[in-house]
Amino acid sequence: MSVWSQISAAVRELEEGRLVAIPTETVYGLAGNIEHPDSIDQIFKTKERPFFDPLIVHIGRINQLEALVSDFPKEAKILADHFWPGPLTLVLPRSEKVDSKITAGLDSVGIRMPSHPLTRRILRSLKSPVAAPSANRFGKTSPTQKEHVESEFPNADFFILDGGSSDRGIESSVIRASENRIEILRPGPIGAEEILSCFREYSICPKIEYVKSEAAPGHTPYHYQPDIPLVWSSRPTMSADDLMSIQRNLQLSSLQYRYLELPSDAQQAARVLYSELRRLAKTSIDFILFSTPTELKGDWRPLFDRLERASSLHI
Ligand code: TXA
Ligand code: MG
């Protein structure tokens, strides 16, 4: 199927209220048309996702925002101008028109304009935006390739668009922007440094803070989990005692493991994190071991956030 036929198939499916797995620059999403309430139900059902976890609405044009929000603070507008299309989700006061199932009953809605060229084309061809969580079963590792979506949903009855490997590799930064205050609810590819330098261009210096995950329901302590346990060790090597403790805690009958090795550069590490977790989980080992690297370049905060939630045990 040519890329063009894939794009028109995806547009048709979404217009008619069926789900489509779409590639984005962060991770693959499971998209449903927000004008079709059945599609939204289907997303939660397919992912086995609890209803307290709100969905992100994906737009292709900035004028779609008007119908979705009741206010668009100056700080949020600056961020949208600067980072959209891109890996940034803005949490904004929602309009009455947004289905409360999408927002999990909150009075805000998360909105993002992704930059992946195929998905961008789809979103710009559609009449309405789509809601799209990451295309994985709830609590599991997010997919960064078409094959990952297929292995998450072996009996998938929805169309999966192949857009290659996701360039960023981890989910968007989720940010609430209000007057003079920027809250990072989920750390992601766009960090505090980049946000600050964006505001500097406008000679504004809002307060930027990372806030606890309760502000972003669904960003739960156990998340992004691979199919076999991930153990996070602060030590460079394992002692016999460490191994015994792992065996006891995880109730394992044998102790075969492999290291999750990541590049020291944060952006490169993010690009391979989930595919490495998936690759290792398919080998015949009992657990995956991650040892905090000694040399780190760039902003590792979002990576540590994902690794923390993906780990079953810390030693
Ligand atoms: O990069 C991404 O954001 C990917 C791609 C597909 O766009 N999507 C994604 O969606 O990661 P999901 O459903 O896996 O994560 C959405 C999270 C929620 O769990 C919650 O933490 C936060 O975004 N969120 C969404 N709407 C929110 C709201 N109104 N207030 C606070 N947090 C919200
Ligand atoms: Mg997710």
Side-chain angles (χ1 to χ4, degrees):
M1 214 185 199
S2 75
V3 174
W4 296 111
S5 342
Q6 285 200 64
I7 291 174
S8 24
V11 170
R12 192 178 52 245
E13 292 291 285
L14 289 164
E15 290 285 16
E16 289 174 7
R18 285 183 291 274
L19 303 190
V20 176
I22 52 169
T24 88
E25 71 281 18
T26 58
V27 301
Y28 275 65
L30 184 61
N33 192 322
I34 64 162
E35 295 299 331
H36 287 259
D38 290 354
S39 297
I40 306 305
D41 289 340
Q42 203 54 40
I43 291 176
F44 281 95
K45 201 166 145 219
T46 307
K47 277 192 59 124
E48 297 166 44
R49 180 182 176 111
F51 284 101
F52 64 76
D53 192 357
L55 305 177
I56 296 171
V57 175
H58 292 61
I59 57 173
R61 294 180 299 273
I62 197 76
N63 62 6
Q64 290 176 312
L65 207 65
E66 210 173 302
L68 302 171
V69 303
S70 62
D71 186 24
F72 193 27
K74 178 183 73 192
E75 285 76 2
K77 187 175 181 311
I78 289 175
L79 291 175
D81 285 347
H82 200 88
F83 294 109
W84 279 355
L88 167 79
T89 295
L90 285 172
V91 170
L92 294 163
R94 78 176 181 102
S95 87
E96 290 300 310
K97 287 182 204 140
V98 183
D99 188 337
S100 63
K101 264 190 241 153
I102 294 177
T103 64
L106 300 173
D107 52 13
S108 60
V109 56
I111 302 179
R112 172 165 118 77
M113 187 192 285
S115 66
H116 189 289
L118 302 191
T119 287
R120 197 153 157 64
R121 209 160 252 285
I122 293 167
L123 293 175
R124 290 171 74 85
S125 308
L126 285 168
K127 285 189 211 80
S128 22
V130 302
S134 51
N136 50 275
R137 285 166 295 133
F138 182 71
K140 294 297 190 177
T141 312
S142 301
T144 55
Q145 293 167 20
K146 178 184 191 242
E147 294 71 28
H148 299 167
V149 184
E150 287 166 346
S151 66
E152 280 293 302
F153 304 105
N155 304 316
D157 56 357
F158 49 83
F159 180 57
I160 307 173
L161 185 71
D162 189 357
S165 292
S166 297
D167 186 45
R168 299 296 198 136
I170 52 167
E171 305 77 5
S172 61
S173 310
V174 177
I175 287 167
R176 187 159 50 201
S178 47
E179 213 185 321
N180 282 320
R181 186 155 182 231
I182 307 296
E183 293 164 298
I184 303 180
L185 311 184
R186 179 175 71 180
I190 296 169
E193 268 305 307
E194 264 183 286
I195 294 171
L196 256 185
S197 62
C198 153
F199 281 111
R200 247 180 249 128
E201 287 177 29
Y202 296 82
S203 309
I204 319 178
C205 191
K207 190 164 174 239
I208 302 187
E209 51 192 345
Y210 287 93
V211 301
K212 281 231 184 83
S213 59
E214 291 88 78
H219 197 46
T220 47
Y222 293 101
H223 216 120
Y224 317 108
Q225 301 234 324
D227 285 343
I228 59 171
L230 172 68
V231 177
W232 187 346
S233 161
S234 49
R235 300 188 262 282
T237 49
M238 288 288 96
S239 67
D241 277 354
D242 290 337
L243 286 171
M244 296 227 320
S245 150
I246 293 172
Q247 183 159 35
R248 205 175 40 248
N249 275 290
L250 298 178
Q251 302 188 331
L252 300 173
S253 49
S254 69
L255 281 167
Q256 300 290 324
Y257 66 94
R258 284 200 197 173
Y259 276 99
L260 165 67
E261 295 194 35
L262 296 174
S264 55
D265 177 79
Q267 270 196 31
Q268 288 175 24
R271 204 169 283 154
V272 296
L273 171 67
Y274 291 146
S275 53
E276 275 301 284
L277 283 177
R278 280 178 190 273
R279 187 182 66 76
L280 291 167
K282 277 206 210 122
T283 61
S284 54
I285 53 173
D286 304 291
F287 65 94
I288 304 169
L289 188 61
F290 175 71
S291 159
T292 314
T294 43
E295 195 205 339
L296 299 173
K297 280 191 238 145
D299 179 12
W300 269 73
R301 190 169 193 131
L303 282 143
F304 286 151
D305 171 77
R306 304 312 189 270
L307 285 160
E308 170 84 35
R309 291 165 208 272
S311 299
S312 304
L313 181 67
H314 292 82
I315 58 160

